[in-house]
PDB file of all heavy atoms in Angstrom:
ATOM      1  N   VAL A 318      -3.290   6.599   3.477  1.00 98.00           N
ATOM      2  CA  VAL A 318      -2.836   5.498   2.629  1.00 98.00           C
ATOM      3  C   VAL A 318      -4.027   4.607   2.324  1.00 98.00           C
ATOM      4  O   VAL A 318      -4.791   4.245   3.229  1.00 98.00           O
ATOM      5  CB  VAL A 318      -1.725   4.686   3.320  1.00 98.00           C
ATOM      6  CG1 VAL A 318      -1.322   3.486   2.483  1.00 98.00           C
ATOM      7  CG2 VAL A 318      -0.514   5.570   3.590  1.00 98.00           C
ATOM      8  N   ALA A 319      -4.179   4.251   1.058  1.00 98.00           N
ATOM      9  CA  ALA A 319      -5.227   3.330   0.617  1.00 98.00           C
ATOM     10  C   ALA A 319      -4.543   2.041   0.157  1.00 98.00           C
ATOM     11  O   ALA A 319      -3.671   2.078  -0.716  1.00 98.00           O
ATOM     12  CB  ALA A 319      -6.034   3.938  -0.516  1.00 98.00           C
ATOM     13  N   LEU A 320      -4.915   0.925   0.759  1.00 98.00           N
ATOM     14  CA  LEU A 320      -4.378  -0.378   0.378  1.00 98.00           C
ATOM     15  C   LEU A 320      -5.421  -1.087  -0.480  1.00 98.00           C
ATOM     16  O   LEU A 320      -6.520  -1.386  -0.005  1.00 98.00           O
ATOM     17  CB  LEU A 320      -4.063  -1.217   1.621  1.00 98.00           C
ATOM     18  CG  LEU A 320      -3.133  -0.570   2.654  1.00 98.00           C
ATOM     19  CD1 LEU A 320      -2.937  -1.503   3.851  1.00 98.00           C
ATOM     20  CD2 LEU A 320      -1.806  -0.191   2.022  1.00 98.00           C
ATOM     21  N   VAL A 321      -5.059  -1.323  -1.738  1.00 97.00           N
ATOM     22  CA  VAL A 321      -5.993  -1.948  -2.670  1.00 97.00           C
ATOM     23  C   VAL A 321      -5.291  -3.062  -3.441  1.00 97.00           C
ATOM     24  O   VAL A 321      -4.082  -3.008  -3.653  1.00 97.00           O
ATOM     25  CB  VAL A 321      -6.624  -0.917  -3.635  1.00 97.00           C
ATOM     26  CG1 VAL A 321      -7.392   0.151  -2.872  1.00 97.00           C
ATOM     27  CG2 VAL A 321      -5.590  -0.272  -4.507  1.00 97.00           C
ATOM     28  N   PRO A 322      -6.046  -4.072  -3.870  1.00 97.00           N
ATOM     29  CA  PRO A 322      -5.438  -5.136  -4.668  1.00 97.00           C
ATOM     30  C   PRO A 322      -4.946  -4.608  -6.009  1.00 97.00           C
ATOM     31  O   PRO A 322      -5.534  -3.680  -6.576  1.00 97.00           O
ATOM     32  CB  PRO A 322      -6.581  -6.137  -4.885  1.00 97.00           C
ATOM     33  CG  PRO A 322      -7.682  -5.727  -3.971  1.00 97.00           C
ATOM     34  CD  PRO A 322      -7.478  -4.281  -3.643  1.00 97.00           C
ATOM     35  N   GLY A 323      -3.884  -5.219  -6.502  1.00 95.00           N
ATOM     36  CA  GLY A 323      -3.270  -4.782  -7.740  1.00 95.00           C
ATOM     37  C   GLY A 323      -4.152  -4.852  -8.959  1.00 95.00           C
ATOM     38  O   GLY A 323      -3.909  -4.153  -9.939  1.00 95.00           O
ATOM     39  N   ASP A 324      -5.187  -5.680  -8.922  1.00 95.00           N
ATOM     40  CA  ASP A 324      -6.050  -5.835 -10.089  1.00 95.00           C
ATOM     41  C   ASP A 324      -7.252  -4.889 -10.080  1.00 95.00           C
ATOM     42  O   ASP A 324      -8.049  -4.916 -11.007  1.00 95.00           O
ATOM     43  CB  ASP A 324      -6.537  -7.281 -10.210  1.00 95.00           C
ATOM     44  CG  ASP A 324      -7.433  -7.704  -9.059  1.00 95.00           C
ATOM     45  OD1 ASP A 324      -7.239  -7.213  -7.918  1.00 95.00           O
ATOM     46  OD2 ASP A 324      -8.323  -8.539  -9.279  1.00 95.00           O
ATOM     47  N   LEU A 325      -7.373  -4.071  -9.055  1.00 96.00           N
ATOM     48  CA  LEU A 325      -8.529  -3.182  -8.940  1.00 96.00           C
ATOM     49  C   LEU A 325      -8.070  -1.731  -8.809  1.00 96.00           C
ATOM     50  O   LEU A 325      -6.944  -1.462  -8.397  1.00 96.00           O
ATOM     51  CB  LEU A 325      -9.396  -3.577  -7.747  1.00 96.00           C
ATOM     52  CG  LEU A 325     -10.007  -4.977  -7.825  1.00 96.00           C
ATOM     53  CD1 LEU A 325     -10.719  -5.333  -6.528  1.00 96.00           C
ATOM     54  CD2 LEU A 325     -10.956  -5.077  -9.005  1.00 96.00           C
ATOM     55  N   ARG A 326      -8.964  -0.817  -9.151  1.00 95.00           N
ATOM     56  CA  ARG A 326      -8.666   0.607  -9.085  1.00 95.00           C
ATOM     57  C   ARG A 326      -9.349   1.234  -7.877  1.00 95.00           C
ATOM     58  O   ARG A 326     -10.472   0.898  -7.529  1.00 95.00           O
ATOM     59  CB  ARG A 326      -9.149   1.300 -10.358  1.00 95.00           C
ATOM     60  CG  ARG A 326      -8.331   0.874 -11.578  1.00 95.00           C
ATOM     61  CD  ARG A 326      -8.746   1.567 -12.846  1.00 95.00           C
ATOM     62  NE  ARG A 326      -8.836   3.016 -12.653  1.00 95.00           N
ATOM     63  CZ  ARG A 326      -9.676   3.796 -13.325  1.00 95.00           C
ATOM     64  NH1 ARG A 326     -10.497   3.290 -14.218  1.00 95.00           N
ATOM     65  NH2 ARG A 326      -9.697   5.091 -13.104  1.00 95.00           N
ATOM     66  N   LEU A 327      -8.647   2.185  -7.283  1.00 97.00           N
ATOM     67  CA  LEU A 327      -9.186   2.926  -6.151  1.00 97.00           C
ATOM     68  C   LEU A 327     -10.355   3.796  -6.600  1.00 97.00           C
ATOM     69  O   LEU A 327     -10.287   4.467  -7.630  1.00 97.00           O
ATOM     70  CB  LEU A 327      -8.091   3.817  -5.546  1.00 97.00           C
ATOM     71  CG  LEU A 327      -8.525   4.715  -4.390  1.00 97.00           C
ATOM     72  CD1 LEU A 327      -8.906   3.892  -3.168  1.00 97.00           C
ATOM     73  CD2 LEU A 327      -7.404   5.692  -4.060  1.00 97.00           C
ATOM     74  N   ASP A 328     -11.410   3.793  -5.808  1.00 97.00           N
ATOM     75  CA  ASP A 328     -12.537   4.705  -6.003  1.00 97.00           C
ATOM     76  C   ASP A 328     -12.268   5.897  -5.081  1.00 97.00           C
ATOM     77  O   ASP A 328     -12.431   5.797  -3.862  1.00 97.00           O
ATOM     78  CB  ASP A 328     -13.842   3.992  -5.631  1.00 97.00           C
ATOM     79  CG  ASP A 328     -15.073   4.867  -5.807  1.00 97.00           C
ATOM     80  OD1 ASP A 328     -14.955   6.114  -5.715  1.00 97.00           O
ATOM     81  OD2 ASP A 328     -16.158   4.296  -6.006  1.00 97.00           O
ATOM     82  N   THR A 329     -11.826   7.006  -5.655  1.00 97.00           N
ATOM     83  CA  THR A 329     -11.412   8.152  -4.842  1.00 97.00           C
ATOM     84  C   THR A 329     -12.576   8.766  -4.059  1.00 97.00           C
ATOM     85  O   THR A 329     -12.365   9.292  -2.966  1.00 97.00           O
ATOM     86  CB  THR A 329     -10.719   9.218  -5.716  1.00 97.00           C
ATOM     87  OG1 THR A 329     -11.608   9.622  -6.757  1.00 97.00           O
ATOM     88  CG2 THR A 329      -9.439   8.659  -6.325  1.00 97.00           C
ATOM     89  N   ASP A 330     -13.770   8.673  -4.606  1.00 97.00           N
ATOM     90  CA  ASP A 330     -14.935   9.181  -3.869  1.00 97.00           C
ATOM     91  C   ASP A 330     -15.230   8.297  -2.657  1.00 97.00           C
ATOM     92  O   ASP A 330     -15.557   8.797  -1.583  1.00 97.00           O
ATOM     93  CB  ASP A 330     -16.166   9.253  -4.775  1.00 97.00           C
ATOM     94  CG  ASP A 330     -16.039  10.328  -5.844  1.00 97.00           C
ATOM     95  OD1 ASP A 330     -15.274  11.301  -5.647  1.00 97.00           O
ATOM     96  OD2 ASP A 330     -16.711  10.193  -6.887  1.00 97.00           O
ATOM     97  N   ALA A 331     -15.098   6.987  -2.829  1.00 98.00           N
ATOM     98  CA  ALA A 331     -15.314   6.062  -1.712  1.00 98.00           C
ATOM     99  C   ALA A 331     -14.255   6.261  -0.638  1.00 98.00           C
ATOM    100  O   ALA A 331     -14.553   6.190   0.561  1.00 98.00           O
ATOM    101  CB  ALA A 331     -15.323   4.623  -2.205  1.00 98.00           C
ATOM    102  N   LEU A 332     -13.018   6.515  -1.055  1.00 98.00           N
ATOM    103  CA  LEU A 332     -11.958   6.793  -0.075  1.00 98.00           C
ATOM    104  C   LEU A 332     -12.297   8.049   0.712  1.00 98.00           C
ATOM    105  O   LEU A 332     -12.217   8.055   1.947  1.00 98.00           O
ATOM    106  CB  LEU A 332     -10.603   6.944  -0.772  1.00 98.00           C
ATOM    107  CG  LEU A 332      -9.446   7.363   0.149  1.00 98.00           C
ATOM    108  CD1 LEU A 332      -9.178   6.299   1.207  1.00 98.00           C
ATOM    109  CD2 LEU A 332      -8.195   7.659  -0.672  1.00 98.00           C
ATOM    110  N   ALA A 333     -12.670   9.116   0.012  1.00 98.00           N
ATOM    111  CA  ALA A 333     -13.024  10.361   0.699  1.00 98.00           C
ATOM    112  C   ALA A 333     -14.153  10.129   1.693  1.00 98.00           C
ATOM    113  O   ALA A 333     -14.069  10.572   2.850  1.00 98.00           O
ATOM    114  CB  ALA A 333     -13.411  11.441  -0.319  1.00 98.00           C
TER     115      ALA A 333
END
Side-chain angles (χ1 to χ4, degrees):
V318 176
L320 305 179
V321 300
D324 65 328
L325 298 174
R326 292 182 49 210
L327 177 66
D328 180 333
T329 57
D330 291 336
L332 175 63

